[in-house]
Amino acid sequence: MYSKQPITGFKPDFLWGGATAANQIEGAWNIDGKGLTTAEVVQKATDRQNFSMNAVTKDSIQTAIDDPTDTLYPKRRGIDFYHHYKEDIALFAKMGFKAFRMSIAWARIFPNGDDAQPNEKGLAFYDNVFAELKKYNIEPVVTLSHYEMPLTLTLKYNGWASRETIAAFNRYTETVFKRYQHQVKYWMTFNEINAGTWGFTGTGAVDDTLAPDEQLQLRYQALHHQFVASSIAVKQCHELMPDAKIGSMLARMQSYPKTPNPDDVRQAQQDDELNLFFTDVQVRGEYPNYMNRYFNDHNITLEMAPDDLQLIKDYPVDYLSFSYYMSMVSSAKPAGEKTAGNLILGEKNPYLEASDWGWQIDPVGLRITLNNLWERYGVPLFVVENGLGAIDQVDADGQIHDEYRIDYMRKHIEQMKEAVKDGVDLMGYTMWGPIDLISASTSEMSKRYGFIYVDQDDDGNGTLARSRKESFYWFKNVIASNGEDL
Ligand code: BG6
């Protein structure tokens, strides 16, 4: 008789918390020895529906270098976490956070990416942040590269387009692994590694003058370098910290066929492959066969060193983490109305509602994707981003009643719980932006995700005071009840 006990809910050590990125919160862009980063030369959006954070040229970089202010570059100011981290972490602790996902700004440690010595003041900053987290038993979950790199590496090598960047990155990873080996157990290499196919934000490479097929060639070559660098980081991490876990991080975009027409179903399968290619390499340790055909069809030839494929095979990641904001609709003959997507554009799904920014809200899709990733890979999964960017109003009583955010998160957590009951091995859930921060895509402040409100507008005006929204108290209960009280 088959008599396994049913799974009833989240594991007792489930990692509840929030996720951020250095370039969206820290500010302090030019102090204590930090170098300029790629994120700090991307101008804020003037038209939020029609803007690409990847539209960076050599000229726009020079304009940014010549501009000593943060007016057009809000990621330079963030929310000044650099000076508010104690207060912010205390608020996370009040919500009962078990984990805090954050990234290290590579340019705080190696200002130019290839300096002879690391910057001690940068290292000391993260010592302090980790010590503060430890005070409250909050587990740091550290992204090694979240949408930024030292700008010098772009100027010198065109970022990840060049193999040189691998060595620079792995000197940085070795430095931070050694320094924080007793403070950090959970690591991940590249945020949303598939962002490399979208351009500058992922690759740090300027490619605006190239023809589309040359761009594709450059981006997949850059991604190959990231795969190699990621495998070297896994090796370094395991050798130094046998108990640590290091994962990959994907912007997961589940594709649904628009109709049961087999052509649409095949299109969805293919779109899904192009999204899962990254984790196929990083989790399974191999370039999948279907990419061979894709590369041939697109005239892409990857240059590899003799040991690259063996390295990728020998050092796959321990877990798979991903961001989940939306699902996609695939059609063999795209004709439908488009919707704004997570940095890309997709067809509209008539069964789903969308956020103010046009991101289609699909909680059931989270359950589908969790099951799908678990079946495909069989490694622990970690939802490291999910949340609602919305405009919040401060009411006359000074409170922010963000029941829309609660509603969004409740529905996603419910579906996540269903996936756990389905048998998915899920490590944790760090929602995106527990404290309001600068938007990655548009650099707005008014696209707020937080449980904690930050008094700052799009132009950087405000007191930076932190206050609790209604969702703060709701999430506190969710954590206290381990996801039972929703
Ligand atoms: C993810 C990124 O793509 O989405 C985050 O990893 C980003 O950095 C988040 O902030 C939400 O996107 P946006 O553009 O609303 O900030």
Side-chain angles (χ1 to χ4, degrees):
M1 200 180 85
Y2 187 76
S3 66
K4 238 181 161 179
Q5 287 298 313
I7 298 163
T8 55
F10 299 106
K11 296 176 185 184
D13 57 353
F14 193 76
L15 294 168
W16 292 102
T20 59
N23 74 85
Q24 293 171 258
I25 60 168
E26 283 181 6
W29 65 289
N30 57 359
I31 67 167
D32 289 343
K34 180 178 159 298
L36 193 60
T37 71
T38 47
E40 291 157 352
V41 299
V42 179
Q43 285 199 11
K44 66 180 181 185
T46 43
D47 173 357
R48 71 163 60 129
Q49 298 296 356
N50 193 10
F51 172 80
S52 167
M53 68 199 282
N54 295 304
V56 170
T57 64
K58 281 193 174 149
D59 285 349
S60 75
I61 291 179
Q62 193 53 51
T63 306
I65 293 172
D66 294 340
D67 187 340
T69 73
D70 60 21
T71 313
L72 296 175
Y73 308 97
K75 286 174 189 155
R76 295 181 180 184
R77 58 176 173 263
I79 52 161
D80 200 23
F81 177 79
Y82 196 77
H83 297 107
H84 288 74
Y85 69 93
K86 288 191 179 170
E87 179 188 351
D88 295 344
I89 291 170
L91 283 165
F92 300 153
K94 286 219 161 70
M95 262 188 287
F97 273 25
K98 311 279 184 219
F100 175 51
R101 175 176 172 233
M102 51 178 273
S103 70
I104 295 179
W106 178 0
R108 241 182 237 298
I109 311 300
F110 287 99
N112 296 295
D114 57 358
D115 314 68
Q117 294 300 325
N119 171 32
E120 181 52 36
K121 283 192 175 159
L123 287 165
F125 170 65
Y126 296 106
D127 281 336
N128 295 338
V129 171
F130 296 141
E132 205 62 23
L133 290 169
K134 178 125 186 88
K135 245 169 100 175
Y136 303 104
N137 283 323
I138 299 175
E139 201 70 66
V141 178
V142 173
T143 318
L144 289 156
S145 177
H146 190 128
Y147 279 0
E148 68 177 328
M149 65 195 297
L151 184 68
T152 313
L153 294 177
T154 293
L155 302 176
K156 257 190 174 167
Y157 304 122
N158 209 18
W160 284 99
S162 161
R163 216 182 151 89
E164 249 87 6
T165 298
I166 301 177
F169 180 74
N170 290 127
R171 213 156 68 81
Y172 152 68
T173 55
E174 189 179 19
T175 305
V176 296
F177 287 154
K178 281 194 178 142
R179 178 80 168 213
Y180 308 123
Q181 58 180 301
H182 302 299
Q183 279 74 41
V184 181
K185 185 173 161 203
Y186 297 101
W187 300 89
M188 62 189 75
T189 50
F190 295 94
N191 180 62
E192 300 190 331
I193 179 140
N194 44 325
T197 55
W198 308 331
F200 184 74
T201 300
T203 59
V206 180
D207 59 16
D208 65 301
T209 55
L210 300 181
D213 57 334
E214 292 168 337
Q215 268 181 353
L216 217 51
Q217 161 72 38
L218 177 144
R219 292 176 188 177
Y220 278 102
Q221 183 66 57
L223 278 157
H224 175 72
H225 295 147
Q226 292 187 338
F227 291 146
V228 172
S230 176
S231 292
I232 295 173
V234 171
K235 179 174 190 290
Q236 293 170 332
C237 177
H238 285 169
E239 284 174 4
L240 193 68
M241 301 172 271
D243 294 334
K245 302 278 174 225
I246 181 160
S248 60
M249 198 303 200
L250 178 76
R252 176 66 182 131
M253 311 268 176
Q254 178 79 44
S255 288
Y256 300 143
K258 187 172 179 183
T259 72
N261 180 334
D263 289 340
D264 286 349
V265 177
R266 169 60 195 150
Q267 187 61 49
Q269 183 178 47
Q270 206 170 10
D271 290 347
D272 236 17
E273 283 173 352
L274 286 180
N275 183 233
L276 294 172
F277 156 60
F278 308 88
T279 34
D280 279 357
V281 174
Q282 292 191 294
V283 180
R284 290 174 161 167
E286 273 176 4
Y287 270 77
N289 285 346
Y290 59 80
M291 281 314 271
N292 194 28
R293 175 160 189 187
Y294 180 85
F295 289 150
N296 280 318
D297 288 352
H298 293 84
N299 294 320
I300 294 170
T301 319
L302 297 184
E303 272 178 39
M304 297 190 187
D307 294 342
D308 285 1
L309 291 179
Q310 193 59 45
L311 231 134
I312 289 171
K313 177 130 201 98
D314 290 345
Y315 299 100
V317 292
D318 302 316
Y319 66 91
L320 191 173
S321 72
F322 66 97
S323 61
Y324 179 82
Y325 293 95
M326 67 190 66
S327 52
M328 308 298 279
V329 173
S330 296
S331 158
K333 289 197 194 94
E337 196 187 335
K338 295 273 180 192
T339 181
N342 190 3
L343 317 179
I344 51 170
L345 289 171
E347 267 201 62
K348 206 171 166 64
N349 184 332
Y351 299 97
L352 301 178
E353 289 181 356
S355 76
D356 292 346
W357 275 260
W359 294 18
Q360 297 183 104
I361 302 170
D362 182 10
V364 176
L366 177 56
R367 178 179 181 184
I368 296 171
T369 217
L370 278 162
N371 273 288
N372 163 302
L373 292 174
W374 173 244
E375 280 162 19
R376 191 175 182 104
Y377 299 113
V379 296
L381 304 177
F382 195 166
V383 179
V384 293
E385 283 189 36
N386 171 240
L388 179 70
I391 292 174
D392 292 333
Q393 298 296 339
V394 184
D395 288 347
D397 59 358
Q399 305 292 312
I400 296 137
H401 300 287
D402 56 342
E403 59 291 332
Y404 38 89
R405 182 167 292 111
I406 295 173
D407 183 60
Y408 175 102
M409 299 201 51
R410 177 188 293 124
K411 288 179 176 151
H412 282 82
I413 295 172
E414 274 168 4
Q415 292 299 322
M416 202 167 69
K417 189 156 42 163
E418 289 305 314
V420 167
K421 290 182 187 170
D422 294 336
V424 169
D425 182 357
L426 187 62
M427 296 163 61
Y429 176 80
T430 53
M431 55 72 67
W432 178 252
I435 182 164
D436 294 342
L437 39 67
I438 306 290
S439 154
S441 53
T442 60
S443 293
E444 287 164 288
M445 190 67 208
S446 44
K447 189 178 188 186
R448 296 174 184 274
Y449 285 85
F451 302 126
I452 301 165
Y453 186 83
V454 177
D455 179 25
Q456 178 173 247
D457 69 11
D458 288 340
D459 298 321
N461 306 307
T463 61
L464 289 175
R466 278 58 171 154
S467 54
R468 300 165 206 200
K469 303 180 195 176
E470 197 174 315
S471 55
F472 182 101
Y473 304 99
W474 173 79
F475 198 54
K476 184 176 180 314
N477 277 336
V478 172
I479 299 178
S481 64
N482 201 23
E484 289 306 309
D485 188 0
L486 291 172

